[in-house]
Amino acid sequence: MINIGEVLLDLWNSSGFAAMSAGFADGGWQNLLMLIIGCVLLYLGIVKQFEPLLMCGIAFGCILTNLPMGGLYHQELWDAFMDPSSPMYHSFGAIMREGGLLDITYIGVKTSLYPCLIFMGVGAMTDFGPLLSNPKSLLLGAAAQMGVFAAFFGAILLGISPLAKYYVEKHGKELIGRRVSVDQLRFNLLNGKLHIEDFTLYEADEKSAFVALDRFSTDVKLWSLLKRTININYIDLVRPDIHITQQGSSFNFDDMVAHFRSDSTAVEKPSVEKNPWIIDIDSITIRSGKMLYEDRQVEAKWDFNNLNLYIPSVYFAGQDTDIGITLSFAEGGSLHTSLAYNLESNDFDLSVELNRLALSTVLPYFRQTFNVSAVEGNLTADVNLTGNLSYIMGFSIAGTADVEHFRLHDMQEREVIALEKGHVKVDSVDFVNNSFHFDRLAFEGLKGKYELFADSTNTYTGLWKAIQDRGEEADATVSV
């Protein structure tokens, strides 16, 4: 015997009403609201005759998209369509294979086919009777058409973004030698403001990212170009992520350098301009940046997190330039630098503040000189360098440096040098006059382990690579 109640219950559970009610709290109410709005628009278009060509199309699209369990539209397909890393990137064929009815219909929006059809349909429905009876009204139509063109070119001036974004992504490899992707690019020719979001410059393999940033903004005073002045109000970079690798003398950006290098070997006599260009940048800011530097030859890796850079002003016309950099090391510690530089006299004043740098991060560079297995401790320094770039070795150094909990282990992992605290205060170091003035040298808890072995070697014999290399060269000479 058929149970009418179970049949009706199964019918309800398999219906879209059950699917909508089950997920009502998780977004089903939004679909219900859009269905009601679609019905209202359909009523206005059919019954009230309010722009039926627009209302009916919008209403049907709204209703079909929000039908529960319809599967007519898939937002995830279009997300993959816009994702450069997806195999469906800009693939209309994938949309045709895997999409629903509205997905396929939406292709006409992406290809700008529908606007053409709409204008053709509107033109076919136009009644030219009044125009033929009164030809002077043609002037009104011409004026309206000129207004359309004026609005079109005005829109280009106010937002040239789509063309610029397309050109950058299409010709990035021709411009800088690498593939480039941009999610949003907005440029206003009237006020000179440029805004870029989700910018990625790829490695030479076109897969991994070399430089990526969340947002780049700048404001250029375009009218100052008429006065041969590049005046930039600000440059703002938010969360840049840079990956630099080095293998010997080669870097992962050598191909871009070669791309910009001129192939011409002819030496041209530089021309002297009577009115040289002036570059004035009021503010450069980098916020929450990251940088990973890998020296693969010595197996060193430097990971900088929370990189912050602030340059108050850069002026290439003889005025002073101030630069400040603040960054944090992933392994611990931070660095703050401040540079004052006069472009006319080449005088500079550099202040460096290093706070509790973990010495373990520089182990690969210790190993270039010493045969060591580990180095421990923290370094804090406050150093000031002053000089002139015209004579680079003519700078002087003053400041303090402190070391805590320093430990040095040889290749047998024996602790050979230990220092609990070390403090150095330098009054001045002048390399030109070979003058070195130290105000204070203080060491606390300094220990060294010295062992003499049966083969006449000791703990420190093989510690320095230079001494060991010279010994090997001497042995080699004797054997020959």
Side-chain angles (χ1 to χ4, degrees), residues 320-353:
D320 291 333
T321 295
D322 299 323
I323 301 174
I325 301 175
T326 301
L327 57 88
S328 300
F329 299 97
E331 294 79 5
S334 62
L335 172 69
H336 175 74
T337 65
S338 178
L339 172 65
Y341 176 58
N342 187 287
L343 292 163
E344 186 174 293
S345 63
N346 280 338
D347 291 331
F348 70 88
D349 187 343
L350 174 63
S351 296
V352 179
E353 296 179 12

Side-chain angles (χ1 to χ4, degrees), residues 236-298:
D236 187 23
L237 293 91
V238 179
R239 285 184 288 277
D241 192 350
I242 306 172
H243 187 187
I244 300 176
T245 59
Q246 179 182 0
Q247 182 70 44
S249 60
S250 301
F251 291 85
N252 61 335
F253 50 81
D254 287 343
D255 58 316
M256 289 192 296
V257 175
H259 179 82
F260 287 103
R261 185 182 296 126
S262 174
D263 295 331
S264 175
T265 58
V267 179
E268 298 181 359
K269 183 178 180 180
S271 59
V272 179
E273 298 185 21
K274 295 182 179 180
N275 297 314
W277 282 84
I278 296 174
I279 301 178
D280 183 7
I281 305 176
D282 291 338
S283 174
I284 302 176
T285 306
I286 297 177
R287 293 179 286 169
S288 304
K290 295 176 61 179
M291 184 175 71
L292 176 63
Y293 168 73
E294 291 184 87
D295 191 338
R296 294 178 176 174
Q297 184 173 0
V298 298

Side-chain angles (χ1 to χ4, degrees), residues 33-180:
L33 178 62
M34 293 307 298
L35 287 173
I36 295 174
I37 293 176
C39 294
V40 172
L41 295 179
L42 199 61
Y43 169 79
L44 294 176
I46 296 176
V47 178
K48 297 297 184 181
Q49 291 293 306
F50 290 162
E51 298 289 346
L53 292 178
L54 293 176
M55 290 295 182
C56 292
I58 296 173
F60 275 113
C62 185
I63 293 173
L64 293 176
T65 301
N66 290 276
L67 282 177
M69 304 174 63
L72 299 178
Y73 181 77
H74 304 82
Q75 181 61 43
E76 62 274 10
L77 293 181
W78 290 104
D79 292 338
F81 181 86
M82 299 301 297
D83 185 4
S85 61
S86 171
M88 292 180 58
Y89 181 61
H90 284 187
S91 175
F92 289 113
I95 299 295
M96 294 286 290
R97 290 192 305 270
E98 303 180 22
L101 174 62
L102 292 184
D103 294 311
I104 298 174
T105 307
Y106 191 59
I107 294 176
V109 177
K110 284 292 185 180
T111 57
S112 301
L113 174 63
Y114 294 152
C116 300
L117 296 178
I118 290 173
F119 278 102
M120 290 175 62
V122 172
M125 296 173 60
T126 302
D127 182 9
F128 290 96
L131 175 62
L132 296 176
S133 62
N134 187 10
K136 291 186 296 183
S137 60
L138 180 63
L139 297 176
L140 296 176
Q145 194 66 26
M146 292 301 296
V148 172
F149 280 106
F152 173 73
F153 287 111
I156 292 179
L157 289 175
L158 292 175
I160 199 171
S161 312
L163 294 177
K165 177 180 181 297
Y166 171 80
Y167 186 83
V168 169
E169 291 188 329
K170 189 73 174 178
H171 302 280
K173 199 162 186 177
E174 301 174 14
L175 296 173
I176 60 176
R178 292 280 185 90
R179 176 190 164 202
V180 176

